[in-house]
Amino acid sequence: MADNHDVRRKSSQPQPVPCDTPRMVKDPVCEMMVNPTSALRSDIGGRTFYFCSSGCQRTFEAPDEELRRMKRRATIAMAGVLVLAILRVAVFLGLAAGATLLT
């Protein structure tokens, strides 16, 4: 029984990180930790920023354009919600009218 307990204790201890492993950096848009050697990067104002994807990189480099796209997607989604709500009301009114005619 003591042997099993010792195995669990050893496996839960943090493992040392080799010195040649690059330190992880944070994507400024989504805050995901990325490896700087394989991440996308942009040099802006003398600083280097690292990104997990081209979408995060575009959002950071051109926030106005991404905001415009987001507003357009939100407008389309809200229009769809409004159309579905109107259709639902029409169906319920039709059902209510039919029910009153039958009684």
Side-chain angles (χ1 to χ4, degrees):
M1 188 96 160
D3 292 333
N4 289 340
H5 183 66
D6 290 338
V7 169
R8 276 186 269 152
R9 270 196 358 205
K10 287 180 184 176
S11 66
S12 66
Q13 293 178 353
Q15 299 297 319
V17 178
C19 292
D20 61 345
T21 303
R23 76 179 168 89
M24 301 294 278
V25 293
K26 190 184 290 189
D27 182 319
V29 177
C30 68
E31 299 186 355
M32 181 174 148
M33 298 304 287
V34 295
N35 183 339
T37 59
S38 60
L40 297 171
R41 58 182 276 181
S42 292
D43 295 314
I44 301 171
R47 290 184 62 193
T48 302
F49 297 94
Y50 298 93
F51 305 94
C52 66
S53 68
S54 59
C56 283
Q57 189 176 25
R58 276 194 316 267
T59 300
F60 189 79
E61 291 175 349
D64 295 336
E65 178 66 30
E66 195 62 30
L67 182 61
R68 236 179 283 124
R69 287 184 191 151
M70 188 183 340
K71 284 181 180 178
R72 184 167 186 262
R73 287 191 304 262
T75 302
I76 291 170
M78 290 305 294
V81 167
L82 184 61
V83 167
L84 287 175
I86 291 170
L87 286 174
R88 181 179 287 173
V89 168
V91 167
F92 285 131
L93 288 175
L95 287 173
T100 55
L101 289 176
L102 291 176
T103 55

